[in-house]
Amino acid sequence: MMPPPRRLLRFAHRAATLTGLRLALFAALALAASWRPLQQAGGMNDFRDAHLLHSYEDAGTRTVTHYGQLPLWNPWACGGQYAIGSPQTRVASPTLLVSTLMGARPAEPLLLWAFLVLGMEGFFHYARRRVGSALGALAAAPLFGLAGFTALSWSIGWLNFAGFLLLPWLLWGTRRAAEGHLRGAAVVAGVFALLLGFGGTYPVPMGALFVALEAGRTLHGLRGTARRKSALWGLGVTALFTLGACAFRLWPLVETMRSAPRIMAGTPGNSAEELARMLLQLPARSGHSDPGNFFLAPAVLALIPLAAWAWRRALYPAVLASLCVWMAAGYSATPSLFGALRLLPVFGTLRYPERFLVPAGFFLAELVALGLAVLLVRVWRVPPARTAASWWPTAAAVACVVIAVGWGFQVRAFDRLSRWSQMVPSPGPIPEEAERPFAQARGNRWAQGYFLALNRGSIACGEAWPVPMSERLRGDLPQEEYLEDVSAGTARRVEWTPNRVTVDVTATRPTVLLVNQNWHPGWKSSEGEVVSHQGLLGVRVAEGTHRVVLRFLPRSGLGGAGVSALAWLGMGLVAWRLRGRLGLAAIGVASVPLAAWGVLLATSTEPVARAVPLNPDGTPMFVTAPPSDAKRLDAKFDVPVELVAAEVPSAPDAEGLIHMVLYWRVTGPVHRSVGVFVHLPGPPGSKRKNADHPVLGGTFFLAGAPRDVLLRDAFSVNTKDWDGGERKVLVGLWRAGGDGSRIGGRGADGKPLTSSHVEAGTLTVPPKPQSEEKP
């Protein structure tokens, strides 16, 4: 008779292979983890980011349910913005159907639960193929699927970060596509399309990075075999189909980034101790503190050393987990792998390096699955007759119990992190729907959840990228559609919807009809010519009586949707006519949507809606000359950058702030790593203060700044914790994302700069009052 531990393991293995039973387990674990969010379904998350991001989903849902239109334009945000071109919106995802059916707020916890189940099931399929054990894959799946960051993301309104849970499906699909299966290509294309539509500003570029590494891992494993060539064909078809399938969202995003690039600056970093606490410390019951944000049950991680017995399989996930932790250290690590990654296109928009702990947890979970698989191999190798004399079955059974306990800790950590949300129970103070004509309001970027119910737009914008906004937007107009010259006639609104506005105009002479929304090239008119009137949406109309019908028909959105439809039709054709073979013929079919995309780009052109570059204090970045009271410097560095002048106050203002301005000119190509250093050495015995910044005015890296234009770089420094005394302001350039070295140059007199810096001015910090001095 088979001993109890062995029977238990045999039963667990069989249960792991049963899809229905496995999904029931994952669903139950996800339900336990997301129980609190589900209880609060319909409530308002009062955290500022949640207000902003949820308002986008609410706007998309409202556009579909109230007006029967696709959510292409969002008039309620930032004075009107291109909804599917905004990186953080979720309105281009199939999940909008759930929001439409249930309501935007009630749908969020249900989507969270669904992503948890998908994440665990995806990890199971990926890990089972990589470690060869269904039970090992099942045991480790909740370790990744219930990682703390998903709960934290939900609690502060970042539901789009749940897209990280689809990473295993991307890697599984890449492996299957390399094996020649069309299903793998379809999964990769579908998941990337979903992530893009779901606002995956981090999951998409990071997922693409690990897909490329997985492709390399698979090809390396096939080196010297005939299957390697077919794997290359399969991966090529996958890449082409993925680009085509994502065109519906990718084209609008590229258009947006071209008009107003999303700049993420700073040099964030995390120490090894901080990273260990994020991963291993059980989160607190409340408060947004770093420890435990990416919690993985430490007891379960104890199985990782067992993976060393299968070191060939363990090598890749071990190396990747180490690289991810190195990346998560950010600029605290020397050299900084995260800093090097940010030099690449697209990855420069990543701001928080600790998010690489999510893929680190994924590869650690793979090592856990492999460790248990190694243990189970030892169990199955023991003949049944000798099982009673062997300790392997008992050890494996104990490991399974430890893992099950670890699941409990994962659920507990998830619940604690979800309690950090600032939920206002429904109905609470949530405003009731009010049937009133749409109008813009001054708004509040951190309380936008209150405006949509009142059918009011917010011209206070809280986006992380510079939205092209007109300075002529108003929140106090008696009517939203009016004539530029009020004496030229009348304008009367007939119909208003997000994507269509109808106005009756009676003009006694040619004039311009203005709409109190931002202009975008996607707006078309039945009468006259659509124009940008200082960034405001306008239509030139002739003398007479006209019914002007404005429709939002963006080339990138509609054309991209057509390209994506072609891609999915092509995939169906490969499945039907080519029986799913990913060879040369499939390459040809997959190229058709991209060729159509190229034709659309070549045959139809549109102007670009440009954001006006502004400093954080709202002052313009482009100026014709420095003011007369600015100190002329005329320093030229060994890269094509000039420091023309500077404004340095003699002392801080009443709030202890120093407002400084540097005037730069870029005359040629500059490496992406070059940044500005500002050092303020103090009197003897005091520490030097810094105001280094790689981005001018929060808008341009020197590498991406316009050429031969005078750039006004305004920034402020808080001196409240500074020692009193005189400080010089020393300015120069350094390789912020490189080796950290300074860049030499010459002053206005042509002589080399001392210590590679320019003295831009001197200021005096008053001594602290005696009551504020440290004891």
Side-chain angles (χ1 to χ4, degrees), residues 426-727:
S426 178
I430 301 173
E432 295 182 2
E433 294 285 337
E435 292 295 334
R436 62 179 66 183
F438 169 82
Q440 299 287 4
R442 183 176 297 277
N444 183 328
R445 61 178 179 167
W446 298 132
Q448 288 194 203
Y450 296 102
F451 285 85
L452 268 76
L454 305 174
N455 206 16
R456 289 293 179 263
S458 172
I459 60 176
C461 189
E463 259 293 0
W465 56 281
V467 180
M469 293 181 63
S470 172
E471 295 181 355
R472 293 196 55 172
L473 287 166
R474 296 275 298 276
D476 57 352
L477 291 174
Q479 61 184 58
E480 297 294 289
E481 299 83 26
Y482 59 96
L483 299 182
E484 179 189 15
D485 182 357
V486 294
S487 66
T490 60
R492 182 181 65 86
R493 177 190 290 180
V494 177
E495 180 193 31
W496 184 94
T497 65
N499 298 330
R500 186 178 65 249
V501 179
T502 304
V503 183
D504 279 345
V505 176
T506 300
T508 58
R509 56 182 177 273
T511 186
V512 178
L513 169 67
L514 297 178
V515 179
N516 194 31
Q517 294 188 47
N518 294 317
W519 170 82
H520 185 278
W523 282 104
K524 314 297 178 186
S525 177
S526 62
E527 298 277 348
E529 176 190 2
V530 177
V531 295
S532 171
H533 190 80
Q534 299 179 35
L536 209 62
L537 177 59
V539 182
R540 289 197 183 102
V541 294
E543 180 183 345
T545 300
H546 311 277
R547 172 156 288 188
V548 178
V549 181
L550 278 162
R551 291 182 174 87
F552 187 63
L553 302 170
R555 177 190 64 156
S556 58
L558 301 179
V563 172
S564 294
L566 277 178
W568 288 108
L569 286 173
M571 206 172 295
L573 181 63
V574 171
W576 175 46
R577 299 292 295 178
L578 302 180
R579 301 184 183 276
R581 292 189 293 271
L582 304 182
L584 181 60
I587 288 281
V589 174
S591 300
V592 171
L594 301 185
W597 193 353
V599 170
L600 288 173
L601 288 171
T603 57
S604 61
T605 58
E606 282 186 346
V608 177
R610 298 285 186 187
V612 178
L614 298 174
N615 283 287
D617 61 0
T619 57
M621 283 205 65
F622 296 160
V623 293
T624 56
S628 58
D629 59 346
K631 180 180 179 180
R632 295 290 302 196
L633 300 173
D634 295 316
K636 296 184 178 180
F637 292 88
D638 293 343
V639 294
V641 177
E642 301 173 8
L643 179 55
V644 179
E647 294 180 69
V648 176
S650 58
D653 64 12
E655 296 181 348
L657 299 176
I658 302 172
H659 305 284
M660 290 184 277
V661 181
L662 302 175
Y663 293 88
W664 300 93
R665 181 180 287 113
V666 179
T667 59
V670 182
H671 194 270
R672 174 68 164 70
S673 65
V674 176
V676 178
F677 72 80
V678 180
H679 292 169
L680 298 96
S686 62
K687 292 184 178 180
R688 185 190 75 190
K689 300 297 183 179
N690 300 333
D692 304 346
H693 50 283
V695 176
L696 305 185
T699 303
F700 296 115
F701 285 97
L702 285 166
R707 309 282 173 83
D708 301 313
V709 174
L710 195 61
L711 302 170
R712 186 179 186 275
D713 175 24
F715 57 97
S716 301
V717 183
N718 193 331
T719 67
K720 287 188 175 180
D721 63 342
W722 292 16
D723 296 326
E726 185 178 86
R727 290 178 181 265

Side-chain angles (χ1 to χ4, degrees), residues 346-491:
V346 178
F347 292 98
T349 63
L350 304 184
R351 177 167 46 178
Y352 298 110
E354 61 270 15
R355 289 171 185 170
F356 275 90
L357 290 180
V358 175
F362 173 84
F363 292 110
L364 289 174
E366 181 181 347
L367 289 172
V368 169
L370 183 59
L372 182 58
V374 167
L375 200 56
L376 292 172
V377 167
R378 298 299 186 275
V379 172
W380 308 137
R381 283 181 178 176
V382 176
R386 298 180 55 191
T387 300
S390 174
W391 61 273
W392 287 110
T394 302
V398 169
C400 289
V401 172
V402 170
I403 288 172
V405 173
W407 294 350
F409 277 99
Q410 290 291 139
V411 169
R412 185 180 183 188
F414 199 98
D415 175 71
R416 284 189 174 185
L417 288 167
S418 67
R419 290 175 182 269
W420 291 6
S421 64
Q422 301 175 19
M423 295 299 296
V424 178
S426 178
I430 301 173
E432 295 182 2
E433 294 285 337
E435 292 295 334
R436 62 179 66 183
F438 169 82
Q440 299 287 4
R442 183 176 297 277
N444 183 328
R445 61 178 179 167
W446 298 132
Q448 288 194 203
Y450 296 102
F451 285 85
L452 268 76
L454 305 174
N455 206 16
R456 289 293 179 263
S458 172
I459 60 176
C461 189
E463 259 293 0
W465 56 281
V467 180
M469 293 181 63
S470 172
E471 295 181 355
R472 293 196 55 172
L473 287 166
R474 296 275 298 276
D476 57 352
L477 291 174
Q479 61 184 58
E480 297 294 289
E481 299 83 26
Y482 59 96
L483 299 182
E484 179 189 15
D485 182 357
V486 294
S487 66
T490 60

Side-chain angles (χ1 to χ4, degrees), residues 266-276 278 290 324-340 342 351-354 734 736-738:
T267 55
N270 303 287
S271 67
E273 180 183 357
E274 289 172 328
L275 295 176
M278 289 181 194
D290 285 339
C324 287
V325 172
W326 182 7
M327 199 85 72
Y331 289 89
S332 294
T334 304
S336 173
L337 189 59
F338 180 73
R342 292 181 79 187
R351 177 167 46 178
Y352 298 110
E354 61 270 15
W734 67 308

